[in-house]
Amino acid sequence: MQITQLNIYPVKSLKGISVTHSELQEHGLAWDRRWMLVDAQQRFVTQRQLPALATVEVALTDEHLVLSHSNVEPLSVPLAEPEGNLRLVSVWNDHCKALPESEEVSRWLDAALGEQAQGLSMVRFATEFTRAVEEDFLDGGAAHTYFSDGYPFLIATTGSLDALNQALVAGGHAPVPMNRFRPNIVVESEEAWAEDRWATLTEQGGAFQIALRKPCKRCKITTIDQHTAAVPAPAEPLKTLIELNTQPSLKGAHFGQNATLLEGSGSVIRVGDRLAAATRDA
């Protein structure tokens, strides 16, 4: 097996960036979910509330995070940490310390997305703070992450996407691309749902090892076209995933596996890396 895609999402719920390689860190791939948008109550805002966030492009240079949108000129945000007082912001039930970016970002979002973006601001995770991953699925270990929904890595496979798309087409629906699921690591696998049986993935030379911890329950972001922010079929692919019942003991639609890093912090992960899977005990 080998890695076919690596994706980072520097600003939670904005467009992702496909990369050929990235540094593996305990909290995720380098720069992944380092920033987030919050409302006036300092609560996280995603495509669940504002699908148009999918239309904001993100790029990284050596010195800047660059936001782009067809309605406005690009905005460059320095990678150097901003000065200012820490804020307490929330992601689900977690409270995190964050540094606010300048009000210029808020004005830019307002100009790019219109009235629906009023009151939004962008914050950066304060790296001296640690946000712990839930312990229930860590087998006694510990892990942490930045502004992801809950885990530092999301792994998906080509085999599972192929199986889902076959079911969608058989039901008279259009197939969906992998970007609907916003994975970090995509693994080539001919077998559908194989990832649900993997305990670990290890780079063939032993450079890193990743533990697959928990099936990823999917939300309505999977129904949003990640280029246009349109919702072509409001119930899909969630309805078909539920019908496929890939996780019989769990409610809802699931696709991919949440994961943590066991070994290899600071190493480089690359598209094309070959992996060996160890399966879970029955």
Side-chain angles (χ1 to χ4, degrees), residues 122-134:
M122 191 165 78
V123 298
R124 179 188 313 217
F125 196 94
T127 53
E128 64 269 27
F129 169 78
T130 299
R131 179 183 171 219
V133 170
E134 59 182 354

Side-chain angles (χ1 to χ4, degrees), residues 27-42:
H27 51 72
L29 299 180
W31 297 107
D32 190 55
R33 273 85 171 198
R34 183 69 188 275
W35 288 268
M36 180 174 74
L37 302 180
V38 296
D39 62 17
Q41 287 72 46
Q42 307 307 307

Side-chain angles (χ1 to χ4, degrees), residues 34-39 42 77-78 80-89 96-106 120-126 128 147:
R34 183 69 188 275
W35 288 268
M36 180 174 74
L37 302 180
V38 296
D39 62 17
Q42 307 307 307
V77 179
E81 290 198 352
E83 296 181 359
N85 295 325
L86 288 172
R87 289 188 193 176
L88 199 62
V89 300
C96 309
K97 292 179 181 177
L99 290 162
E101 298 292 351
S102 72
E103 291 185 4
E104 183 182 9
V105 180
S106 298
L120 296 185
S121 58
M122 191 165 78
V123 298
R124 179 188 313 217
F125 196 94
E128 64 269 27
F147 287 138

Side-chain angles (χ1 to χ4, degrees), residues 170-185:
H173 306 291
V176 296
M178 185 64 86
N179 66 11
R180 291 283 188 96
F181 301 97
R182 299 174 66 85
N184 295 114
I185 302 169

Side-chain angles (χ1 to χ4, degrees), residues 193-252:
W193 323 114
E195 65 275 20
D196 294 337
R197 296 188 297 277
W198 295 341
T200 60
L201 288 172
T202 305
E203 191 271 330
Q204 66 175 359
F208 58 82
Q209 185 176 62
I210 295 170
L212 290 80
R213 299 295 193 178
K214 179 185 180 185
C216 185
K217 187 174 182 178
R218 310 314 306 219
C219 70
K220 72 178 190 178
I221 289 178
T222 61
T223 70
I224 300 170
D225 185 308
Q226 293 297 301
H227 293 292
T228 65
V231 180
E236 295 295 354
L238 295 174
K239 185 173 181 289
T240 297
L241 277 173
I242 291 171
E243 291 170 352
L244 287 169
N245 196 27
T246 61
Q247 298 289 335
S249 62
L250 300 174
K251 292 182 179 180

